[in-house]
Amino acid sequence: MTARVPGAAGSPQTLDMMVNMGPQHPATHGVFRMELAIDGERVVGLIPHIGYLHRGSEKLCEHEIYSQIITLFDRLDYVSNFNNELGLVLAVEKLMEIQVPERASYVRMILCELNRIASHLLFVGTFALDAGAMTPSLYTFRDREMIQALFEATSGARMMHNFFRVGGIKEDVADDFVVRVDRLLGELERGIDEVDGMLSFGEVLLARTKGVGVISGPDAIDWGMSGPCLRASNVPYDVRIDEPYCLYDRVEFGVPVGTQGDSWDRYYTRVVEMRESVKIVRQCLAQLQPGPIMAQLRRIARPPKGEVYAHAENPRGDFGVYIVSDGGERPYRLKVRPPSYCNLMPLRDLVVGSYIADAVVILGSLDIVLGEVDR
Amino acid sequence: MVTWSEVVLTALGLGALFAALMTVVLSLTWLERKLLARIQRRAGPSVVGPHGLLQPVADAIKLLTKEDVRPADAPRFLFWFAPVMVVLPSYMLWVIIPFGDGLLVRAMELGLIYLIALSVLEVVGLLLAGWGSASKYSLLGGFRAAAQLVSYEIPIIIVIIAVAVFVQSLDLRDVVGGHATTIAGRTMSYAGQGGVPLALVMPLGLVVLFIAGLAELGRTPFDIHHAESEVVGGPFVEYSGAHWAVFYLAEYMNTFFIATLTVLLFFGGWSWPSPASVLGDSAPPLAVNALGAAWLMAKVYAVAGVIFWFRGTYPRLRIDQLMAFGWQVLIPLSFANLILVATVLYYGWPTWTLPLISVPLLAVVARVAFRRYADPRKMKTVRMFTRSTRADGETVLAPQAGES
Amino acid sequence: MTGNGDRHAPPARDQAEAVASSRLTARGQALSKLLPGALSKFRPTVGAEIDEVTCLVGREWVVDVAVLLKSDTALAFDYFRLLTVVDYVETAREFEVVYHLYSLERRHKMALKTRVPESDPWVTSVSGVWRGANWYEREMHDLFGVVFRGHPDLDRLILPDDFEGFPGRKAYPLYEYGEY
């Protein structure tokens, strides 16, 4: 896509240069291709290409029973696995009117919030890398490893857990879970403070991200953005407060809302969210009581005929699942609402008019995961 | 008339210089990787040799035996010549650098001018590399590099001129050697001979030279032209094998050069603290020279360490921010430095008035920049909301108490 | 697949009864009473599915309904959540296009539905009303072949540009698939 820019009479005619960013590229978070038309350093056009990671998950779901679908959902947003699983089980539980035991709900919340911290740590590391700072990514990945060690002890896997089930969780957590999580939270707080102090108010990062990729609140709403991207544009919408699921109405936490809608706000809301997640986990640990971890159900879930839309607050935004059930053990139709998909749509509007270096920063600040964009 | 013995001595000197340079440069690569790794909580090179000290040797062997790929569209001569064009001036700069009293290959009275002239030649090499690689990315990188390097030459030149004005000589030996100079009947001794290094006299010049030197090197936070996350290597992206090794070498030789320049100009080089004053006046000249050279190398490695430290800490500036910083901050500061030096010398004020004025000036500039660009109170544009109940009983998100 | 796909058997119960017996919240109930009046011109069929208010309109009215839903201050559906195409070709020879909407201001949600025949699957695009519908429509066209008239750019999004066929449909030959 090169366009001849008509010059004024007498001035040289210029041609836009077409630069391809991706699909293999150190900066883009996953296999994602951006065709940039640049005029010198400025981006004048952008065509995003997705679909490199399309695996036909939704079609596959029509041929699998619900407990098999959980493994598919793990792999959608492969950075925040527990949150995806939660979206699915919430939908099926809503459809079947299942009351999940409290202990299971608390454990789900703890794991999901820890996963939120892990996901945001990855974001901070890669965002700093996009801006040019190499060191923070190593610090955040180390903290992430601590969280994933806990996940491994709980569910058996560092990442693709396959732990939540319709009606509860697969098995109870170990006896030392509370102690372990408590210790982990202390380390995480130190790690978060360290990375925050290292990055957030540094002059160079501020210069790179302030005022870059601004999207206003009404525009963000119109594009269907959600999560920290939407909240950074001064729209206080959080699914955990708006339509509480699990037991989020029993815990107190703050929700950071940015005022400028630029990349820095999107970055900093996530840093603050990490701290709030630590608070939530602490409260859940305090409220955790012994009890059953699974509702009384048949082994293979057979939801009645009907349709349901359930959603949860993923680290990336509003993760929705729409299930059309025909009464069988497999869904008739299952559609996922991926938050990164919607957050990625306004990329063209965000990037056009800024510099190439900004394109990288803006894409990084949106925090997309191609697994859920492409499904 | 040049005699044979001069030619032979010069050739030997050049050879020794080359060997020494290679060793130091290779050790610098090791130092950088180790330092960066430690900052990033990693081990760094630790397999090849004790503490990974032979890693640079392994790297060199790998690079030299790697296939040298040339893109089909790349013009042959330009592609081959670009690394040469970059490394040749880097090497020629070293001819006049003194490692001790009289320890240099060639003495020049206009040494500082020679330095300035040669360091500009590398820009041509980068442009050749960018253009000759027949790749859009490298072209972009080459342009960025050329613009950046040319812009940041100016503060370096002005600072060097300021130093020359202060020392009243363009000869590097005089700058370092600490030969006392007399101006307007007053003896100015500043390095060696019990004087103080120029860093204490001209801190503004030190700061400007160091930062502009970082930008000359294309090092973080000014490494946008070979930023990995964007143009992936910039002008060097199509080079591999021996050609790439030459670029790599040139980059580290330049790093070494900037560090050495900083130390020679501002930290007294080999003459502060004066080796003679440490060893005593009757020490053999060999010992004196060796100690001086050791001082010099220690200080140079320390400065290089700081350069590597920057790399592990800072993100990188965008090209327009980089240019703005160079033209709008560093160049005025370097001119301010020059004017200050000239004023102090012209009016014959005592030397200590120079830092007396430059340090507050630096502090004011830093403070203004901080308040404008990095003050957390201004920059923190994220508010905290919490769950609250509205008057009509609805649960909403509202700003936390205490926030606007 | 043991369930039968007859989701489309005409509702045996009265719509009002369906609404009353569903699990709508108070807001949902209020919305379900508001919609028939606000959209009366388009003859909607308002129902409920668990906690979502559903509203079925003819495909030619979709854009007009969308504009009204977005601009009406009592409805104020400014947030486009999800667009789905459900394949009912085996049973009813049609696709159902489902739009999930939400209002940030009024905090109520609904599912707008329309049906398109398999022989002529087109709907007018709502990407002019909510920009967030853009890629959804492209993807549904990609996977199901439903044409969204008026969409600015209906290219392949998720699948390779030279892919043939509509794999989202139930009729797509999954097991007779040849080497690509």
Side-chain angles (χ1 to χ4, degrees):
Chain A
M1 45 167 291
T2 47
R4 255 183 212 283
V5 178
S11 71
Q13 278 213 327
T14 53
L15 207 71
D16 290 340
M17 191 158 109
M18 205 282 283
V19 167
N20 227 343
M21 279 205 174
Q24 297 114 339
H25 201 280
T28 54
H29 300 265
V31 270
F32 171 63
R33 182 175 161 221
M34 276 197 292
E35 263 185 76
L36 294 172
I38 55 173
D39 181 18
E41 272 289 316
R42 288 221 175 251
V43 177
V44 293
L46 178 141
I47 301 180
H49 295 268
I50 61 172
Y52 289 92
L53 202 50
H54 180 65
R55 296 155 287 182
S57 305
E58 291 164 0
K59 179 94 184 173
L60 268 175
C61 291
E62 296 172 14
H63 297 261
E64 299 192 346
I65 62 176
Y66 289 97
S67 53
Q68 291 173 313
I69 297 178
I70 292 175
T71 56
L72 272 182
F73 267 63
D74 263 332
R75 287 149 177 84
L76 282 182
D77 175 356
Y78 40 74
V79 173
S80 35
N81 322 90
F82 278 124
N83 294 278
N84 301 350
E85 293 181 20
L86 185 67
L88 175 71
V89 296
L90 282 178
V92 183
E93 285 158 8
K94 203 175 184 182
L95 195 51
M96 295 174 70
E97 289 185 70
I98 298 171
Q99 189 70 290
V100 176
E102 281 199 4
R103 186 174 167 84
S105 274
Y106 276 120
V107 171
R108 280 181 179 179
M109 281 169 70
I110 292 171
L111 293 171
C112 285
E113 290 301 320
L114 281 175
N115 211 331
R116 188 185 311 273
I117 299 174
S119 166
H120 285 335
L121 280 173
L122 183 133
F123 160 75
V124 168
T126 51
F127 186 64
L129 211 56
D130 285 337
M134 298 187 297
T135 314
S137 67
L138 287 132
Y139 284 46
T140 61
F141 271 75
R142 183 170 171 273
D143 295 330
R144 234 174 92 79
E145 281 302 318
M146 294 195 287
I147 300 177
Q148 286 176 324
L150 177 79
F151 287 164
E152 195 176 11
T154 312
S155 72
R158 277 173 70 243
M159 278 181 86
M160 308 304 173
H161 311 107
N162 191 10
F163 190 62
F164 292 178
R165 294 285 180 271
V166 176
I169 52 181
K170 173 178 143 205
E171 57 187 9
D172 207 347
V173 293
D175 294 328
D176 62 346
F177 183 71
V178 176
V179 171
R180 218 177 142 154
V181 175
D182 205 31
R183 210 177 332 132
L184 175 67
L185 288 177
E187 310 248 355
L188 285 178
E189 274 178 329
R190 264 195 299 278
I192 296 169
D193 287 339
E194 192 174 37
V195 159
D196 187 14
M198 213 189 325
L199 274 182
S200 302
F201 294 100
E203 298 84 354
V204 184
L205 190 80
L206 284 171
R208 283 300 294 275
T209 54
K210 276 281 180 191
V212 166
V214 178
I215 187 162
S216 66
D219 276 343
I221 296 172
D222 201 37
W223 280 108
M225 294 177 93
S226 55
C229 293
L230 182 65
R231 289 195 281 278
S233 300
N234 208 7
V235 178
Y237 175 61
D238 186 326
V239 180
R240 296 172 291 180
I241 306 267
D242 200 62
E243 280 173 271
Y245 52 94
C246 278
L247 296 165
Y248 275 103
D249 40 4
R250 294 196 200 171
V251 289
E252 285 298 316
F253 58 99
V255 171
V257 175
T259 52
Q260 304 292 321
D262 57 14
S263 298
W264 192 87
D265 277 1
R266 288 191 281 270
Y267 156 78
Y268 198 65
T269 47
R270 291 186 175 99
V271 172
V272 177
E273 266 185 25
M274 281 199 275
R275 292 204 178 97
E276 297 303 313
S277 290
V278 170
K279 261 196 240 171
I280 295 176
V281 177
R282 284 226 159 88
Q283 291 172 61
C284 289
L285 284 178
Q287 297 174 17
L288 189 64
Q289 298 292 331
I293 45 124
M294 188 79 172
Q296 289 295 329
L297 284 180
R298 284 165 55 186
R299 262 199 106 191
I300 297 185
R302 255 174 211 261
K305 256 197 254 183
E307 302 177 0
V308 71
Y309 180 86
H311 60 159
E313 180 77 18
N314 254 25
R316 275 160 192 80
D318 182 351
F319 182 78
V321 180
Y322 174 58
I323 300 182
V324 176
S325 166
D326 58 358
E329 60 208 13
R330 298 180 169 84
Y332 186 76
R333 173 86 168 101
L334 186 145
K335 179 106 173 64
V336 170
R337 185 219 191 255
S340 302
Y341 191 70
C342 305
N343 289 346
L344 194 54
M345 275 196 241
L347 186 66
R348 198 171 162 276
D349 286 356
L350 283 171
V351 169
V352 165
S354 55
Y355 295 96
I356 301 180
D358 291 338
V360 172
V361 164
I362 294 170
L363 184 65
S365 74
L366 291 178
D367 193 15
I368 57 168
V369 167
L370 265 298
E372 82 180 344
V373 171
D374 292 340
R375 279 155 286 134
Chain B
M1 209 27 228
V2 176
T3 64
W4 270 115
S5 59
E6 271 183 23
V7 169
V8 167
L9 264 177
T10 315
L12 277 178
L14 281 174
L17 179 69
F18 187 74
L21 253 186
M22 288 303 112
T23 318
V24 170
V25 162
L26 287 181
S27 73
L28 271 183
T29 61
W30 175 87
L31 181 67
E32 169 161 36
R33 286 173 67 166
K34 209 66 177 164
L35 203 65
L36 234 59
R38 289 287 178 229
I39 293 176
Q40 294 166 356
R41 289 199 207 137
R42 296 182 289 122
S46 48
V47 174
V48 190
H51 292 290
L53 280 168
L54 291 178
Q55 183 70 46
V57 177
D59 285 342
I61 295 175
K62 180 209 83 170
L63 281 172
L64 292 173
T65 55
K66 209 168 166 186
E67 182 188 357
D68 218 332
V69 178
R70 180 183 67 89
D73 288 340
R76 299 191 80 137
F77 176 67
L78 285 182
F79 191 78
W80 173 86
F81 187 61
V84 175
M85 190 66 213
V86 170
V87 83
L88 212 53
S90 311
Y91 177 58
M92 283 165 68
L93 284 169
W94 286 96
V95 167
I96 62 154
I97 302 278
F99 291 95
D101 203 356
L103 268 182
L104 73 176
V105 178
R106 181 92 183 155
M108 280 190 199
E109 285 87 28
L110 296 177
L112 288 174
I113 302 275
Y114 175 80
L115 288 181
I116 295 170
L118 277 180
S119 55
V120 178
L121 276 181
E122 291 171 35
V123 181
V124 180
L126 282 176
L127 275 174
L128 280 182
W131 172 256
S133 295
S135 152
K136 278 180 249 202
Y137 282 128
S138 54
L139 194 65
L140 266 179
F143 290 160
R144 283 174 172 176
Q148 177 183 328
L149 259 57
V150 164
S151 310
Y152 279 86
E153 273 294 331
I154 301 177
I156 294 184
I157 294 172
I158 303 295
V159 168
I160 290 181
I161 292 178
V163 170
V165 164
F166 189 78
V167 179
Q168 295 286 298
S169 161
L170 282 169
D171 194 337
L172 213 46
R173 291 170 298 169
D174 290 341
V175 174
V176 185
H179 308 294
T181 49
T182 312
I183 299 166
R186 200 159 37 88
T187 310
M188 325 257 293
S189 72
Y190 48 89
Q193 299 191 344
V196 291
L198 267 175
L200 294 175
V201 173
M202 237 196 280
L204 190 54
L206 170 65
V207 168
V208 172
L209 181 76
F210 188 70
I211 299 179
L214 273 181
E216 268 296 298
L217 293 171
R219 287 220 157 237
T220 321
F222 305 109
D223 62 348
I224 188 110
H225 71 271
H226 59 268
E228 269 157 26
S229 52
E230 295 154 44
V231 285
V232 202
F236 314 130
V237 72
E238 298 290 345
Y239 286 90
S240 67
H243 273 125
W244 165 247
V246 173
F247 275 125
Y248 196 56
L249 211 63
E251 182 183 333
Y252 280 92
M253 285 198 334
N254 283 334
T255 310
F256 187 38
F257 170 69
I258 293 286
T260 312
L261 191 69
T262 313
V263 169
L264 284 176
L265 290 183
F266 287 102
F267 289 111
W270 43 263
S271 68
W272 186 85
S274 158
S277 62
V278 169
L279 290 177
D281 283 323
S282 55
L286 191 65
V288 171
N289 274 344
L291 189 59
W295 279 144
L296 176 70
M297 293 315 286
K299 286 189 246 183
V300 169
Y301 270 89
V303 173
V306 173
I307 294 179
F308 300 148
W309 188 3
F310 269 51
R311 183 167 176 205
T313 314
Y314 281 97
R316 65 177 64 96
L317 283 176
R318 216 171 53 203
I319 188 77
D320 64 314
Q321 293 162 341
L322 196 158
M323 302 294 276
F325 180 68
W327 287 91
Q328 292 170 12
V329 177
L330 278 191
I331 291 183
L333 276 180
S334 64
F335 273 105
N337 185 42
L338 178 61
I339 293 171
L340 268 176
V341 169
T343 314
V344 165
L345 285 182
Y346 183 76
Y347 288 111
W349 293 341
T351 322
W352 51 260
T353 52
L354 202 50
L356 194 67
I357 305 175
S358 12
V359 169
L361 178 65
L362 253 181
V364 163
V365 169
R367 180 116 185 104
V368 165
F370 175 74
R371 293 294 287 274
R372 229 182 121 186
Y373 295 112
D375 194 352
R377 287 168 302 175
K378 255 180 67 181
M379 292 293 141
K380 186 168 171 188
T381 51
V382 169
R383 305 179 286 170
M384 189 67 92
F385 279 47
T386 45
R387 184 192 292 123
S388 70
T389 322
R390 238 179 8 200
D392 54 2
E394 293 273 329
T395 311
V396 290
L397 266 179
Q400 207 173 41
E403 307 239 9
S404 57
Chain C
M1 279 210 339
T2 54
N4 42 17
D6 61 339
R7 288 274 304 108
H8 267 31
R13 308 170 295 180
D14 185 40
Q15 281 296 336
E17 210 184 300
V19 167
S21 66
S22 72
R23 286 180 268 154
L24 287 179
T25 58
R27 267 205 204 97
Q29 304 268 3
L31 179 66
S32 66
K33 293 190 183 66
L34 188 56
L35 272 178
L39 302 176
S40 56
K41 194 168 87 164
F42 309 105
R43 288 191 298 266
T45 313
V46 177
E49 286 283 354
I50 307 189
D51 65 343
E52 296 262 354
V53 175
T54 60
C55 176
L56 182 67
V57 293
R59 64 173 167 175
E60 60 276 11
W61 301 120
V62 164
V63 175
D64 300 311
V65 169
V67 170
L68 192 62
L69 286 174
K70 188 174 180 190
S71 54
D72 185 308
T73 43
L75 297 172
F77 282 104
D78 52 358
Y79 194 70
F80 190 86
R81 268 184 175 164
L82 184 64
L83 169 69
T84 317
V85 169
V86 191
D87 180 331
Y88 291 122
V89 170
E90 275 163 33
T91 49
R93 308 205 72 81
E94 57 188 10
F95 297 108
E96 183 173 77
V97 184
V98 184
Y99 303 80
H100 279 90
L101 306 167
Y102 182 67
S103 169
L104 283 169
E105 205 188 301
R106 298 278 168 208
R107 304 177 75 188
H108 52 212
K109 55 186 179 176
M110 68 173 283
L112 178 69
K113 296 189 182 193
T114 183
R115 305 232 178 93
V116 298
E118 180 217 2
S119 51
D120 186 23
W122 64 264
V123 187
T124 36
S125 160
V126 296
S127 54
V129 183
W130 297 287
R131 279 179 286 179
N134 193 312
W135 275 8
Y136 283 121
E137 295 185 338
R138 242 176 107 174
E139 187 187 339
M140 289 298 109
H141 167 77
D142 208 356
L143 290 175
F144 286 89
V146 175
V147 175
F148 290 88
R149 289 194 183 165
H151 191 278
D153 178 26
L154 214 54
D155 285 341
R156 289 269 186 202
L157 180 71
I158 287 264
L159 296 171
D161 289 334
D162 52 354
F163 197 89
E164 296 198 359
F166 301 114
R169 296 189 181 185
K170 300 258 180 212
Y172 190 80
L174 272 184
Y175 300 108
E176 296 87 37
Y177 193 60
E179 271 299 310
Y180 181 50

